[in-house]
């Protein structure tokens, strides 16, 4: 059967070859009107070569990058993100490591079954879900590069992530116990996270210069785009504690009994939280204060958008935040509604 003009061609090469059939496409014309050709690939049967040619004509791709491996595409994707000021989350890096059996495979040749096998062998549901996320992002980038328009990650099945029971809010009685021990370093830390919603690390790295006592808010945060440099309102109930801590005049707001900064959350847990004799501390993790704040804000019927602003959660509704005096005042009013 004669193929259409400009469609490409298939022919058998001489000698004993494992893949004797070559598929060739027309990629342009020279000044004399002669076609310029490129090899699409080599195949074991004529049918395979014709199928590859048909697939290319249906959805053309960039041949130069068609043989790129998964590992090479990953490196290019990381560079692409870096050029746009975006880092690669650690969870994505871990998911890519789990794809090691496919690292040196040609990206366009990786099958859904191969990816599904790795997901099925994954012992953690969140990690399995991230494998699909990473592959979907790489397929999206491959389409951007005109390598392929097919996304074989779409049919992948991932296990359901069970709701975590690791973190539990402090109860009313436990909070009363914390207030009775408000001079204890661990108890004070818990109270501050309960009434601000800050992550443990966010509190430890909060600088005194970023605390605005008159307007009752702090500027800080980590992790997400909406978590960094957010305005964190200071509830009236913890104002005296924050005022006392702020007046010590050091670089950081939260310091130990000697006025020294605590380097990281791990050191804090080892030196204070894990050795505390206060039952309310022994029954919880440092991160539970953030969950307490989120639960209390919801119980106080604070609207969802305001809760997201206070906690620094990512939301399409928030978009690019522009804090005005009115916005910050609304956050302060919302945090004062906590019934703790």
């Amino acid at each position: 059967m004669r193929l259409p003009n400009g469609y490409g061609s298939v022919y058998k090469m001489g000698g004993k070859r494992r893949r004797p059939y070559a598929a060739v496409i027309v990629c342009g014309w020279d000044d004399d009107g002669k076609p310029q050709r490129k090899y699409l690939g080599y195949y074991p049967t004529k049918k395979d070569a014709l199928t590859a040619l048909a697939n290319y004509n249906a959805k053309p791709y960039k041949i130069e990058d068609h043989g790129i491996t998964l590992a090479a595409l990953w490196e290019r994707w990381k560079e692409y993100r870096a050029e746009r000021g975006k880092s690669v989350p650690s969870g994505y890096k871990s998911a890519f490591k789990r794809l090691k059996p496919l690292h040196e495979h040609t990206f366009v040749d990786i099958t859904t079954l191969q990816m599904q096998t790795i997901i099925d062998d994954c012992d953690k549901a969140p990690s399995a879900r991230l494998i699909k996320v990473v592959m979907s992002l790489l397929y999206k980038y491959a389409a951007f590069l005109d390598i392929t328009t097919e996304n074989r990650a779409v049919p992948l099945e991932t296990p359901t992530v069970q709701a975590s029971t690791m973190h539990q809010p402090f109860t009313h009685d436990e909070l009363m116990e914390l207030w009775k021990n408000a001079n204890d370093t661990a108890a004070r830390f818990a109270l501050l996270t309960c009434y601000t919603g800050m992550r443990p690390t966010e509190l430890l790295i909060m600088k005194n210069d970023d605390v605005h006592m008159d307007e009752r808010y702090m500027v800080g945060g980590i992790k997400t785009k909406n978590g960094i440099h957010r305005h964190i309102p200071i509830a009236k109930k913890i104002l005296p504690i924050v005022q006392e801590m702020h007046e010590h005049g050091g670089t950081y707001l939260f310091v130990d009994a000697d006025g020294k900064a605590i380097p990281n959350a791990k050191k804090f847990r080892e030196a204070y939280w894990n050795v505390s004799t206060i039952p309310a501390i022994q029954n919880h993790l440092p991160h539970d204060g953030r969950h307490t704040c989120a639960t209390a804000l919801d119980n106080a019927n604070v609207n969802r958008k305001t809760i997201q602003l206070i906690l620094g959660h990512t939301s399409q509704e928030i978009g690019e935040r522009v804090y005005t005096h009115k916005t910050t005042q609304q956050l302060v009013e919302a945090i004062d509604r906590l019934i703790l």
Side-chain angles (χ1 to χ4, degrees), residues 45-107:
T45 68
K46 184 176 182 180
K47 182 179 179 181
D48 291 332
L50 288 169
T51 299
L53 195 59
N55 290 339
Y56 174 81
N57 279 281
K59 294 180 179 180
Y61 50 78
K62 190 180 293 184
I63 296 175
E64 291 82 357
D65 293 327
H66 199 59
I68 192 170
T69 64
L70 173 61
L73 184 65
W74 165 262
E75 293 300 325
R76 287 182 62 175
W77 176 71
K78 289 197 300 181
E79 292 174 5
Y80 174 77
R81 286 180 66 91
E83 289 170 359
R84 283 151 183 77
K86 296 180 179 180
S87 60
V88 178
S90 58
Y92 288 5
K93 294 177 182 178
S94 297
F96 181 71
K97 287 181 180 179
R98 290 180 179 272
L99 288 160
K100 186 176 181 179
L102 303 178
H103 282 186
E104 300 309 315
H105 281 53
T106 300
F107 182 74

Side-chain angles (χ1 to χ4, degrees), residues 228-249:
I228 296 174
H229 305 313
R230 70 183 187 276
H231 285 199
I232 303 167
I234 303 171
K236 188 179 295 184
K237 201 162 184 178
I238 61 167
L239 194 59
I241 295 178
V242 178
Q243 181 71 51
E244 178 189 333
M245 295 168 62
H246 188 252
E247 287 176 352
H248 73 72

Side-chain angles (χ1 to χ4, degrees), residues 1-10 24-26 29 37 50 53-54 57:
M1 181 181 71
R2 183 179 178 82
L3 298 175
N5 289 334
Y7 186 87
S9 58
V10 170
V24 180
I25 62 154
V26 176
W29 308 85
R37 296 182 171 87
L50 288 169
L53 195 59
N57 279 281

Side-chain angles (χ1 to χ4, degrees), residues 165-228:
T165 58
M166 181 185 297
H167 299 291
Q168 297 294 331
F170 286 88
T171 65
H172 175 75
D173 290 343
E174 288 173 330
L175 283 165
M176 293 303 99
E177 187 179 13
L178 293 176
W179 279 113
K180 289 178 182 178
N181 295 276
N183 289 326
D184 177 85
T185 301
R188 177 169 288 200
F189 187 92
L191 286 169
L192 286 170
T193 56
C194 284
Y195 284 88
T196 62
M198 282 196 284
R199 300 174 176 90
T201 300
E202 291 176 336
L203 177 54
L204 291 175
I205 65 174
M206 177 61 66
K207 293 185 176 180
N208 257 326
D209 289 344
D210 293 324
V211 179
H212 305 271
M213 294 302 303
D214 292 340
E215 295 86 1
R216 286 174 51 196
Y217 75 92
M218 301 177 274
V219 180
I222 59 174
K223 279 207 169 184
T224 67
K225 180 179 69 173
N226 289 311
I228 296 174

Side-chain angles (χ1 to χ4, degrees), residues 7 27 29-30 60 68 84 98 100 105 118 125 138 182 228 255 260 264 279 282 315 337:
Y7 186 87
C27 59
W29 308 85
D30 62 20
I68 192 170
R84 283 151 183 77
R98 290 180 179 272
K100 186 176 181 179
H105 281 53
I118 292 176
L138 290 177
I228 296 174
V255 294
K260 296 180 180 179
N264 53 57
Q282 295 174 338
S315 170
R337 290 165 60 182

